Amino acid sequence: MQVYLAGPDVFLPDAIAIGRQKADICTRYGLTGLYPLDNIVDRSDAGASLAIFTANEVMMDAADAIIANLTPFRGAGADPGTVYELGYMAGRRKLCIGYSNDPAVYADRVRRFTSVTNHDGHLVDADGLTVEDFGHSDNLMMIHALGRYGCALVTPREKPADVWHELSAFEACVRLAAERLDAKRS
Amino acid sequence: MQVYLAGPDVFLPDAIAIGRQKADICTRYGLTGLYPLDNIVDRSDAGASLAIFTANEVMMDAADAIIANLTPFRGAGADPGTVYELGYMAGRRKLCIGYSNDPAVYADRVRRFTSVTNHDGHLVDADGLTVEDFGHSDNLMMIHALGRYGCALVTPREKPADVWHELSAFEACVRLAAERLDAKRS
């Protein structure tokens, strides 16, 4: 069974090494990890961006499941590219598993970037836009999609020192994916 | 034909009024706009968050198309909740249309939040993470998904003074959706 390994990991300086580590963990659980091709396509080519999209979509269509790294990226929430892929896989009715290495509640995380105040019983940011406050670690659409198409978001008890290289929560996701895919097969 | 109206508009102080304006524009083009229910569900209810997810998914499944407001929200990129919905609709093979009221290139927008430097021929942010630099206004997965399942991202020539209330780009999307859905029907 094949698992698409989505995440902003592709933007790390050691993206290819991380991809190999993740694929190795998948192998240990009897799964094949498919890692996005962002780093293999020739970026100087004018069609590189479309080639990455197409290759990633082919991999998602081939995969039985997605494991999405929803650790906050460049702001209070998950990487939109990864979130797009989670939505796509939910739409394709594939098994959806995800983790975030930052267990903080979304509203608390927004407070790191902007002032958050209580306004008529709900939280708003400095621009007056509502801050979701359901006690989840990110936007409710992703959180409940995981519940509906897979398992609840996996988070560590405490934020690890290196959120991009700590793979315990990822490994927990691989274990869950292997169990669910096994159960489906039998 | 029904169009799901995705966007962080639901977080605006006048979310319901904006939803009505968007639905009215749809009506003028012969379409029915379906606006997310975040603001109608009783938020004090323990199950409110799941109720919003479920209601939004039911609306997406009923819709023939999505018009996603991908205007950057609380950071350099689009609202992850909206991006999830775009991915979901692409996965369901529905018509995908989107707009952003900020026509800036993604890499330039990241510069507003963090330092961006050239490192070995590619851009990196202050944390050393690669900044996508394909000249798009957001992550390539969303940009090419629009091309594949609908039309290229609609952006104004210049960023309007009020990115949350200017609806010209939205109306251009409604026109495109009406044309495409008409063509499909005939």
Side-chain angles (χ1 to χ4, degrees):
Chain A
M1 305 290 258
Q2 303 193 106
V3 180
Y4 183 74
L5 305 177
D9 311 59
V10 294
F11 301 123
L12 291 172
D14 54 347
I16 293 174
I18 286 281
R20 279 204 200 106
Q21 282 177 49
K22 286 189 152 184
D24 287 348
I25 293 172
C26 289
T27 306
R28 290 215 306 275
Y29 287 85
L31 300 173
T32 303
L34 304 178
Y35 190 63
L37 295 180
D38 302 46
N39 295 286
I40 292 158
V41 168
D42 179 1
R43 289 176 160 265
S44 61
D45 179 347
S49 152
L50 180 57
I52 294 169
F53 171 83
T54 305
N56 289 356
E57 191 174 90
V58 165
M59 281 203 289
M60 288 195 283
D61 287 341
D64 304 288
I66 182 172
I67 297 179
N69 178 359
L70 298 169
T71 303
F73 172 75
R74 210 166 276 158
D79 164 45
T82 304
V83 172
Y84 170 84
E85 295 175 333
L86 176 64
Y88 183 83
M89 292 296 265
R92 302 309 294 157
R93 302 293 186 249
K94 306 287 179 93
L95 177 67
C96 295
I97 314 271
Y99 70 99
S100 168
N101 270 336
D102 184 346
V105 166
Y106 179 72
D108 290 336
R109 205 181 296 125
V110 173
R111 284 190 180 94
R112 296 179 200 160
F113 296 92
T114 175
S115 75
V116 174
T117 50
N118 198 309
H119 180 80
D120 286 346
H122 71 282
L123 302 181
V124 295
D125 68 13
D127 297 324
L129 300 174
T130 298
V131 177
E132 257 194 32
D133 184 29
F134 292 114
H136 302 314
S137 76
D138 212 321
N139 184 287
L140 70 90
M141 292 306 294
M142 285 108 77
I143 296 300
H144 291 300
L146 291 171
R148 179 156 166 75
Y149 298 105
C151 315
L153 181 74
V154 174
T155 54
R157 209 174 284 264
E158 280 181 30
K159 189 176 170 180
D162 184 343
V163 293
W164 299 119
H165 294 91
E166 172 55 52
L167 294 179
S168 310
F170 170 75
E171 184 162 347
C173 289
V174 176
R175 197 180 307 121
L176 282 166
E179 285 168 12
R180 294 293 182 100
L181 292 173
D182 251 359
K184 222 176 178 180
R185 198 162 29 179
S186 59
Chain B
M1 306 288 259
Q2 302 193 105
V3 180
Y4 182 75
L5 305 178
D9 311 59
V10 294
F11 302 124
L12 291 172
D14 54 348
I16 293 174
I18 287 280
R20 277 204 203 107
Q21 282 177 50
K22 284 188 153 185
D24 287 348
I25 293 172
C26 289
T27 306
R28 291 215 305 274
Y29 287 85
L31 300 173
T32 303
L34 303 177
Y35 191 63
L37 295 179
D38 301 45
N39 295 287
I40 292 159
V41 169
D42 179 1
R43 290 176 160 264
S44 61
D45 180 347
S49 151
L50 181 57
I52 294 169
F53 170 83
T54 306
N56 289 356
E57 191 173 271
V58 165
M59 281 202 289
M60 287 195 283
D61 287 341
D64 304 287
I66 181 173
I67 297 179
N69 178 358
L70 298 169
T71 303
F73 173 74
R74 210 167 277 158
D79 165 45
T82 304
V83 172
Y84 169 85
E85 295 176 332
L86 177 64
Y88 183 83
M89 292 296 266
R92 301 310 294 159
R93 302 294 186 249
K94 307 287 179 91
L95 177 67
C96 295
I97 313 271
Y99 71 99
S100 168
N101 270 336
D102 184 346
V105 167
Y106 179 71
D108 291 336
R109 204 181 297 126
V110 173
R111 284 189 179 95
R112 296 179 199 159
F113 296 92
T114 175
S115 75
V116 175
T117 51
N118 198 308
H119 180 80
D120 285 346
H122 70 281
L123 301 181
V124 296
D125 68 13
D127 298 324
L129 300 173
T130 299
V131 177
E132 258 194 31
D133 184 28
F134 292 113
H136 301 315
S137 77
D138 211 323
N139 183 287
L140 71 89
M141 292 306 295
M142 285 108 77
I143 296 300
H144 291 299
L146 292 172
R148 179 156 165 74
Y149 297 107
C151 316
L153 181 74
V154 174
T155 53
R157 209 174 283 263
E158 279 181 31
K159 188 175 170 179
D162 184 343
V163 292
W164 299 120
H165 293 91
E166 172 55 52
L167 294 179
S168 310
F170 170 75
E171 183 163 348
C173 289
V174 176
R175 197 179 308 121
L176 282 166
E179 285 167 10
R180 294 294 182 100
L181 292 172
D182 250 359
K184 221 175 175 182
R185 198 162 26 179
S186 56

Tab-separated table of all heavy atoms in Angstrom, chain B residues 56-96:
chain	number	residue	atom	x	y	z
B	56	ASN	N	-20.734	22.370	5.738
B	56	ASN	CA	-19.937	22.847	4.597
B	56	ASN	C	-19.680	21.715	3.601
B	56	ASN	O	-19.740	21.918	2.387
B	56	ASN	CB	-18.606	23.439	5.080
B	56	ASN	CG	-18.799	24.773	5.805
B	56	ASN	OD1	-19.909	25.298	5.880
B	56	ASN	ND2	-17.725	25.308	6.342
B	57	GLU	N	-19.419	20.513	4.117
B	57	GLU	CA	-19.165	19.389	3.208
B	57	GLU	C	-20.428	19.032	2.416
B	57	GLU	O	-20.352	18.741	1.210
B	57	GLU	CB	-18.624	18.173	3.965
B	57	GLU	CG	-18.107	17.128	2.987
B	57	GLU	CD	-17.398	15.949	3.645
B	57	GLU	OE1	-16.180	16.036	3.850
B	57	GLU	OE2	-18.070	14.940	3.961
B	58	VAL	N	-21.573	19.070	3.088
B	58	VAL	CA	-22.839	18.792	2.394
B	58	VAL	C	-23.035	19.813	1.264
B	58	VAL	O	-23.405	19.455	0.136
B	58	VAL	CB	-24.031	18.824	3.389
B	58	VAL	CG1	-25.368	18.895	2.663
B	58	VAL	CG2	-23.979	17.601	4.320
B	59	MET	N	-22.738	21.088	1.553
B	59	MET	CA	-22.877	22.128	0.517
B	59	MET	C	-21.894	21.910	-0.624
B	59	MET	O	-22.247	22.081	-1.792
B	59	MET	CB	-22.673	23.516	1.120
B	59	MET	CG	-23.905	24.002	1.854
B	59	MET	SD	-23.928	25.805	2.020
B	59	MET	CE	-22.628	26.006	3.208
B	60	MET	N	-20.662	21.537	-0.280
B	60	MET	CA	-19.665	21.308	-1.349
B	60	MET	C	-20.099	20.138	-2.225
B	60	MET	O	-19.971	20.181	-3.451
B	60	MET	CB	-18.280	21.056	-0.755
B	60	MET	CG	-17.650	22.323	-0.184
B	60	MET	SD	-15.867	22.133	0.129
B	60	MET	CE	-15.885	21.174	1.641
B	61	ASP	N	-20.612	19.078	-1.594
B	61	ASP	CA	-21.034	17.910	-2.375
B	61	ASP	C	-22.214	18.246	-3.286
B	61	ASP	O	-22.355	17.673	-4.359
B	61	ASP	CB	-21.370	16.739	-1.439
B	61	ASP	CG	-20.113	16.123	-0.818
B	61	ASP	OD1	-19.003	16.334	-1.361
B	61	ASP	OD2	-20.223	15.438	0.220
B	62	ALA	N	-23.049	19.190	-2.848
B	62	ALA	CA	-24.215	19.578	-3.650
B	62	ALA	C	-23.818	20.534	-4.784
B	62	ALA	O	-24.524	20.641	-5.789
B	62	ALA	CB	-25.261	20.251	-2.758
B	63	ALA	N	-22.699	21.223	-4.624
B	63	ALA	CA	-22.328	22.282	-5.578
B	63	ALA	C	-21.692	21.715	-6.846
B	63	ALA	O	-21.080	20.647	-6.828
B	63	ALA	CB	-21.369	23.262	-4.914
B	64	ASP	N	-21.843	22.485	-7.932
B	64	ASP	CA	-21.228	22.117	-9.209
B	64	ASP	C	-19.847	22.745	-9.337
B	64	ASP	O	-19.048	22.332	-10.179
B	64	ASP	CB	-22.112	22.632	-10.361
B	64	ASP	CG	-23.531	22.100	-10.246
B	64	ASP	OD1	-23.721	20.899	-10.518
B	64	ASP	OD2	-24.431	22.863	-9.837
B	65	ALA	N	-19.591	23.762	-8.536
B	65	ALA	CA	-18.337	24.512	-8.658
B	65	ALA	C	-17.996	25.157	-7.330
B	65	ALA	O	-18.844	25.281	-6.435
B	65	ALA	CB	-18.485	25.596	-9.730
B	66	ILE	N	-16.729	25.565	-7.211
B	66	ILE	CA	-16.296	26.366	-6.063
B	66	ILE	C	-15.708	27.669	-6.606
B	66	ILE	O	-15.035	27.666	-7.646
B	66	ILE	CB	-15.242	25.610	-5.216
B	66	ILE	CG1	-14.803	26.436	-3.991
B	66	ILE	CG2	-14.013	25.199	-6.036
B	66	ILE	CD1	-13.892	25.673	-3.013
B	67	ILE	N	-16.012	28.772	-5.928
B	67	ILE	CA	-15.264	30.016	-6.158
B	67	ILE	C	-14.553	30.312	-4.846
B	67	ILE	O	-15.194	30.585	-3.825
B	67	ILE	CB	-16.168	31.195	-6.574
B	67	ILE	CG1	-16.840	30.891	-7.918
B	67	ILE	CG2	-15.357	32.497	-6.666
B	67	ILE	CD1	-17.786	31.978	-8.414
B	68	ALA	N	-13.217	30.182	-4.872
B	68	ALA	CA	-12.424	30.307	-3.646
B	68	ALA	C	-11.764	31.674	-3.563
B	68	ALA	O	-11.067	32.085	-4.495
B	68	ALA	CB	-11.360	29.214	-3.618
B	69	ASN	N	-11.982	32.356	-2.447
B	69	ASN	CA	-11.298	33.628	-2.185
B	69	ASN	C	-9.930	33.305	-1.580
B	69	ASN	O	-9.832	32.950	-0.406
B	69	ASN	CB	-12.133	34.471	-1.214
B	69	ASN	CG	-11.455	35.783	-0.865
B	69	ASN	OD1	-10.339	36.048	-1.316
B	69	ASN	ND2	-12.128	36.601	-0.075
B	70	LEU	N	-8.888	33.407	-2.414
B	70	LEU	CA	-7.529	33.038	-1.989
B	70	LEU	C	-6.698	34.264	-1.594
B	70	LEU	O	-5.473	34.175	-1.490
B	70	LEU	CB	-6.846	32.228	-3.101
B	70	LEU	CG	-7.548	30.895	-3.418
B	70	LEU	CD1	-6.983	30.274	-4.689
B	70	LEU	CD2	-7.432	29.893	-2.266
B	71	THR	N	-7.365	35.395	-1.359
B	71	THR	CA	-6.676	36.590	-0.852
B	71	THR	C	-5.925	36.211	0.421
B	71	THR	O	-6.491	35.570	1.303
B	71	THR	CB	-7.725	37.687	-0.528
B	71	THR	OG1	-8.484	37.952	-1.706
B	71	THR	CG2	-7.057	38.963	-0.049
B	72	PRO	N	-4.633	36.590	0.523
B	72	PRO	CA	-3.845	36.198	1.694
B	72	PRO	C	-4.538	36.567	3.004
B	72	PRO	O	-5.102	37.657	3.136
B	72	PRO	CB	-2.552	36.995	1.520
B	72	PRO	CG	-2.437	37.188	0.055
B	72	PRO	CD	-3.837	37.342	-0.442
B	73	PHE	N	-4.473	35.643	3.927
B	73	PHE	CA	-5.209	35.766	5.189
B	73	PHE	C	-4.258	35.494	6.352
B	73	PHE	O	-3.690	34.413	6.442
B	73	PHE	CB	-6.331	34.720	5.181
B	73	PHE	CG	-7.073	34.598	6.493
B	73	PHE	CD1	-7.975	35.576	6.893
B	73	PHE	CD2	-6.867	33.503	7.324
B	73	PHE	CE1	-8.658	35.449	8.092
B	73	PHE	CE2	-7.552	33.369	8.531
B	73	PHE	CZ	-8.455	34.344	8.913
B	74	ARG	N	-4.046	36.482	7.185
B	74	ARG	CA	-3.244	36.309	8.398
B	74	ARG	C	-1.849	35.745	8.082
B	74	ARG	O	-1.394	34.816	8.740
B	74	ARG	CB	-4.015	35.394	9.357
B	74	ARG	CG	-3.751	35.658	10.820
B	74	ARG	CD	-4.773	34.952	11.700
B	74	ARG	NE	-5.994	35.717	11.835
B	74	ARG	CZ	-7.177	35.210	12.171
B	74	ARG	NH1	-7.292	33.921	12.402
B	74	ARG	NH2	-8.224	35.998	12.298
B	75	GLY	N	-1.222	36.294	7.035
B	75	GLY	CA	0.118	35.830	6.665
B	75	GLY	C	0.344	36.001	5.177
B	75	GLY	O	-0.377	36.750	4.513
B	76	ALA	N	1.327	35.304	4.646
B	76	ALA	CA	1.712	35.495	3.251
B	76	ALA	C	0.837	34.724	2.274
B	76	ALA	O	0.830	35.017	1.076
B	76	ALA	CB	3.167	35.072	3.059
B	77	GLY	N	0.113	33.719	2.755
B	77	GLY	CA	-0.642	32.867	1.840
B	77	GLY	C	-2.134	32.857	2.129
B	77	GLY	O	-2.636	33.544	3.027
B	78	ALA	N	-2.849	32.035	1.354
B	78	ALA	CA	-4.302	31.941	1.465
B	78	ALA	C	-4.711	31.270	2.777
B	78	ALA	O	-3.914	30.615	3.449
B	78	ALA	CB	-4.847	31.139	0.285
B	79	ASP	N	-5.974	31.446	3.133
B	79	ASP	CA	-6.563	30.821	4.318
B	79	ASP	C	-6.583	29.298	4.164
B	79	ASP	O	-7.192	28.784	3.213
B	79	ASP	CB	-7.997	31.356	4.462
B	79	ASP	CG	-8.842	30.535	5.411
B	79	ASP	OD1	-8.351	30.188	6.496
B	79	ASP	OD2	-10.022	30.234	5.068
B	80	PRO	N	-5.948	28.561	5.072
B	80	PRO	CA	-5.908	27.100	4.910
B	80	PRO	C	-7.294	26.438	4.847
B	80	PRO	O	-7.460	25.453	4.131
B	80	PRO	CB	-5.119	26.624	6.145
B	80	PRO	CG	-4.235	27.789	6.486
B	80	PRO	CD	-5.073	29.009	6.180
B	81	GLY	N	-8.273	26.975	5.542
B	81	GLY	CA	-9.619	26.384	5.478
B	81	GLY	C	-10.157	26.442	4.052
B	81	GLY	O	-10.737	25.478	3.536
B	82	THR	N	-9.955	27.578	3.406
B	82	THR	CA	-10.402	27.762	2.020
B	82	THR	C	-9.617	26.853	1.073
B	82	THR	O	-10.175	26.260	0.149
B	82	THR	CB	-10.195	29.242	1.609
B	82	THR	OG1	-10.897	30.065	2.544
B	82	THR	CG2	-10.692	29.504	0.206
B	83	VAL	N	-8.313	26.753	1.337
B	83	VAL	CA	-7.455	25.924	0.489
B	83	VAL	C	-7.849	24.450	0.621
B	83	VAL	O	-7.877	23.715	-0.374
B	83	VAL	CB	-5.973	26.139	0.868
B	83	VAL	CG1	-5.090	25.147	0.150
B	83	VAL	CG2	-5.556	27.574	0.546
B	84	TYR	N	-8.178	24.019	1.842
B	84	TYR	CA	-8.676	22.658	2.031
B	84	TYR	C	-9.891	22.443	1.114
B	84	TYR	O	-10.001	21.415	0.430
B	84	TYR	CB	-9.068	22.396	3.497
B	84	TYR	CG	-9.817	21.089	3.633
B	84	TYR	CD1	-9.125	19.883	3.763
B	84	TYR	CD2	-11.204	21.044	3.523
B	84	TYR	CE1	-9.799	18.676	3.804
B	84	TYR	CE2	-11.883	19.838	3.562
B	84	TYR	CZ	-11.178	18.656	3.707
B	84	TYR	OH	-11.851	17.461	3.730
B	85	GLU	N	-10.800	23.403	1.105
B	85	GLU	CA	-12.032	23.251	0.328
B	85	GLU	C	-11.751	23.225	-1.178
B	85	GLU	O	-12.385	22.472	-1.926
B	85	GLU	CB	-13.022	24.362	0.706
B	85	GLU	CG	-13.453	24.210	2.171
B	85	GLU	CD	-14.352	25.310	2.702
B	85	GLU	OE1	-14.275	26.450	2.201
B	85	GLU	OE2	-15.120	25.046	3.636
B	86	LEU	N	-10.784	24.037	-1.617
B	86	LEU	CA	-10.395	23.995	-3.029
B	86	LEU	C	-9.862	22.603	-3.388
B	86	LEU	O	-10.235	22.026	-4.419
B	86	LEU	CB	-9.317	25.067	-3.300
B	86	LEU	CG	-8.751	25.095	-4.721
B	86	LEU	CD1	-9.817	25.463	-5.746
B	86	LEU	CD2	-7.571	26.074	-4.813
B	87	GLY	N	-9.002	22.061	-2.518
B	87	GLY	CA	-8.469	20.715	-2.756
B	87	GLY	C	-9.579	19.680	-2.797
B	87	GLY	O	-9.605	18.797	-3.672
B	88	TYR	N	-10.503	19.796	-1.848
B	88	TYR	CA	-11.616	18.844	-1.780
B	88	TYR	C	-12.427	18.875	-3.083
B	88	TYR	O	-12.749	17.824	-3.649
B	88	TYR	CB	-12.509	19.189	-0.585
B	88	TYR	CG	-13.654	18.224	-0.383
B	88	TYR	CD1	-13.459	17.028	0.305
B	88	TYR	CD2	-14.922	18.497	-0.893
B	88	TYR	CE1	-14.506	16.125	0.481
B	88	TYR	CE2	-15.972	17.605	-0.726
B	88	TYR	CZ	-15.761	16.421	-0.032
B	88	TYR	OH	-16.792	15.533	0.132
B	89	MET	N	-12.725	20.072	-3.577
B	89	MET	CA	-13.536	20.190	-4.792
B	89	MET	C	-12.760	19.705	-6.023
B	89	MET	O	-13.352	19.112	-6.938
B	89	MET	CB	-14.017	21.629	-4.952
B	89	MET	CG	-15.018	22.035	-3.871
B	89	MET	SD	-16.579	21.092	-3.930
B	89	MET	CE	-17.579	22.207	-4.941
B	90	ALA	N	-11.444	19.942	-6.051
B	90	ALA	CA	-10.623	19.391	-7.145
B	90	ALA	C	-10.690	17.864	-7.094
B	90	ALA	O	-10.850	17.198	-8.113
B	90	ALA	CB	-9.184	19.878	-7.029
B	91	GLY	N	-10.588	17.313	-5.880
B	91	GLY	CA	-10.677	15.858	-5.704
B	91	GLY	C	-12.028	15.307	-6.141
B	91	GLY	O	-12.116	14.181	-6.639
B	92	ARG	N	-13.080	16.096	-5.949
B	92	ARG	CA	-14.435	15.688	-6.372
B	92	ARG	C	-14.667	15.973	-7.857
B	92	ARG	O	-15.767	15.744	-8.360
B	92	ARG	CB	-15.534	16.414	-5.557
B	92	ARG	CG	-15.520	16.231	-4.039
B	92	ARG	CD	-15.427	14.803	-3.578
B	92	ARG	NE	-16.598	14.015	-3.911
B	92	ARG	CZ	-16.602	12.681	-3.990
B	92	ARG	NH1	-15.491	12.000	-3.794
B	92	ARG	NH2	-17.699	12.036	-4.278
B	93	ARG	N	-13.653	16.532	-8.522
B	93	ARG	CA	-13.737	16.860	-9.960
B	93	ARG	C	-14.828	17.886	-10.263
B	93	ARG	O	-15.496	17.821	-11.299
B	93	ARG	CB	-13.963	15.593	-10.801
B	93	ARG	CG	-12.865	14.537	-10.611
B	93	ARG	CD	-11.540	15.024	-11.141
B	93	ARG	NE	-10.494	13.991	-11.106
B	93	ARG	CZ	-9.427	14.018	-10.298
B	93	ARG	NH1	-9.258	15.019	-9.429
B	93	ARG	NH2	-8.526	13.067	-10.347
B	94	LYS	N	-14.978	18.844	-9.348
B	94	LYS	CA	-15.891	19.956	-9.605
B	94	LYS	C	-15.112	21.091	-10.278
B	94	LYS	O	-13.878	21.123	-10.218
B	94	LYS	CB	-16.496	20.462	-8.273
B	94	LYS	CG	-17.163	19.384	-7.409
B	94	LYS	CD	-18.485	18.911	-7.967
B	94	LYS	CE	-19.112	17.823	-7.099
B	94	LYS	NZ	-20.016	18.285	-6.065
B	95	LEU	N	-15.847	22.026	-10.875
B	95	LEU	CA	-15.212	23.190	-11.492
B	95	LEU	C	-14.588	24.072	-10.400
B	95	LEU	O	-15.261	24.416	-9.421
B	95	LEU	CB	-16.271	23.988	-12.273
B	95	LEU	CG	-15.794	25.284	-12.933
B	95	LEU	CD1	-14.807	24.999	-14.063
B	95	LEU	CD2	-16.982	26.099	-13.450
B	96	CYS	N	-13.309	24.405	-10.554
B	96	CYS	CA	-12.582	25.165	-9.527
B	96	CYS	C	-12.160	26.533	-10.063
B	96	CYS	O	-11.345	26.610	-10.990
B	96	CYS	CB	-11.339	24.397	-9.089
B	96	CYS	SG	-11.716	22.841	-8.263
